[in-house]
Amino acid sequence: MTAGNNGADTPENDDPFAYLYRSEGGEGGAPGSAGTGAPTRQPGIPRTSYNQVRAVGERQYGQQPQQPTTYGQQNAHYAAPETLPGGDRTRSVPAPDGPEPRRNRNGLLIGAVAVVAVVCIGIGVAMLNNGKESKAGEAGKQGPTAGDSVKPNGKKTGRTKPGELPKEEAGSLRLDGGAAVAKDVPGARSANGTYVAGMNTPGAAATWTLNVDQAGKYKLWVGYGVPGKDATLTMAVNDKPDSRPVNMENFAHAPEGAWDKGWTKTWSYVQLNKGSNTIKLSCETGNQCDVNLDKVWLVKP
């Protein structure tokens, strides 16, 4: 040691960082330090100003002082990962723990049933409309059915319900040889009061085309009117004349010349085929043809 030192370190040699050189256990330190790592000084020598008294834990050497933090502020040195170059900006949200919330299954089921019901109703309406259109088209194309009377031009003149036998007004039959529709004599039993007149001319004829479901024998009824005297006509079924004339007597007992009092009816047997048939009433040689016709119809014997 030099003179004036007296074994004490000068303030310049009193190292405040001597604790950084201490070894574990508190021994060792900087040159000139004691075993405790603190600088050695003689009693009576005051400490320099750097060694000030502070509260325990208030400040330590080598550490940055803590800045006061205000609520709601973030660390200025923190940067979110998505703000960094190349960082992922999409944050994944972890699935919540526990089972998935139950859905309203009843609502879904009701909705599905409602949709199916609407679809079924739409299909049913479409099928119904298509069926009606199809039937209407077929009705316009189909030919005569059983019980229909048809004129030579193919026009229907009558229609019967299923199971009924055909009937027709005489004015709707095919007329030839001078026969014609008239309405002068009252009392005819047709719907509009018409009848067939002019049958007293040789060759005059009224032909009925009809259909039946079954072949066999039928009764042909003829409505007619005579002027207080008997009459006869020739009948041909499917172009085959019958040898017996149709008897048209004055069953109403009308006085002679009283056409309006002589309306009555008669019948004859006819053999018909299944399907379409023709029945012709005509004025031929040997007949007494002074007669009017108002109706014709079939009846089972």
Side-chain angles (χ1 to χ4, degrees):
M1 288 183 294
T2 61
N5 190 359
N6 296 327
D9 292 334
T10 62
E12 294 81 4
N13 293 330
D14 190 1
D15 188 357
F17 301 102
Y19 71 95
L20 299 174
Y21 309 115
R22 284 200 303 267
S23 60
E24 294 181 359
E27 296 181 358
S33 62
T36 61
T40 306
R41 70 175 183 275
Q42 293 294 328
I45 299 176
R47 299 180 63 87
T48 55
S49 61
Y50 57 79
N51 191 10
Q52 298 178 1
V53 177
R54 295 179 180 274
V56 177
E58 181 178 351
R59 182 175 182 180
Q60 294 181 356
Y61 291 104
Q63 294 184 357
Q64 295 293 335
Q66 295 183 354
Q67 298 294 334
T69 302
T70 304
Y71 177 77
Q73 294 182 352
Q74 296 181 352
N75 191 341
H77 298 285
Y78 172 77
E82 58 269 18
T83 62
L84 298 178
D88 186 6
R89 297 178 181 270
T90 303
R91 298 182 63 185
S92 60
V93 180
D97 295 335
E100 182 181 358
R102 294 184 61 184
R103 297 179 180 178
N104 191 346
R105 297 182 179 177
N106 291 338
L108 294 177
L109 180 59
I110 294 174
V113 172
V115 171
V116 172
V118 171
V119 173
C120 292
I121 292 174
I123 294 175
V125 171
M127 293 179 64
L128 181 60
N129 291 336
N130 291 337
K132 290 182 178 179
E133 293 177 358
S134 177
K135 289 181 179 179
E138 292 177 357
K141 296 180 181 179
Q142 67 184 3
T145 58
D148 291 338
S149 296
V150 183
K151 289 185 177 180
N153 59 6
K155 182 180 178 181
K156 293 182 182 179
T157 59
R159 184 182 182 88
T160 59
K161 297 180 180 179
E164 292 185 356
L165 293 176
K167 55 186 177 181
E168 191 61 75
E169 295 181 358
S172 299
L173 305 183
R174 189 184 74 185
L175 305 179
D176 302 295
V181 177
K183 197 176 180 180
D184 299 332
V185 177
R189 289 158 294 188
S190 59
N192 53 5
T194 59
Y195 56 90
V196 175
M199 293 297 295
N200 56 350
T201 302
T207 304
W208 183 22
T209 301
L210 68 157
N211 290 278
V212 293
D213 295 332
Q214 295 179 352
K217 182 183 289 187
Y218 294 85
K219 278 186 177 181
L220 170 66
W221 284 87
V222 180
Y224 66 95
V226 292
K229 59 181 180 181
D230 298 339
T232 59
L233 291 177
T234 299
M235 180 175 63
V237 178
N238 295 326
D239 297 328
K240 296 179 179 179
D242 194 336
S243 59
R244 297 171 300 176
V246 179
N247 184 18
M248 296 179 171
E249 295 183 14
N250 183 19
F251 295 118
H253 305 288
E256 187 173 354
W259 286 92
D260 59 329
K261 304 297 183 180
W263 291 108
T264 185
K265 60 185 177 180
T266 188
W267 61 272
S268 298
Y269 281 117
V270 291
Q271 184 70 33
L272 301 179
N273 302 323
K274 180 180 179 180
S276 179
N277 296 269
T278 59
I279 300 176
K280 179 181 178 181
L281 299 173
S282 62
C283 182
E284 304 295 340
T285 303
N287 294 139
Q288 298 174 358
C289 307
D290 210 4
V291 62
N292 293 330
L293 306 177
D294 63 355
K295 295 184 72 173
V296 289
W297 67 96
L298 285 183
V299 174
K300 291 183 178 179

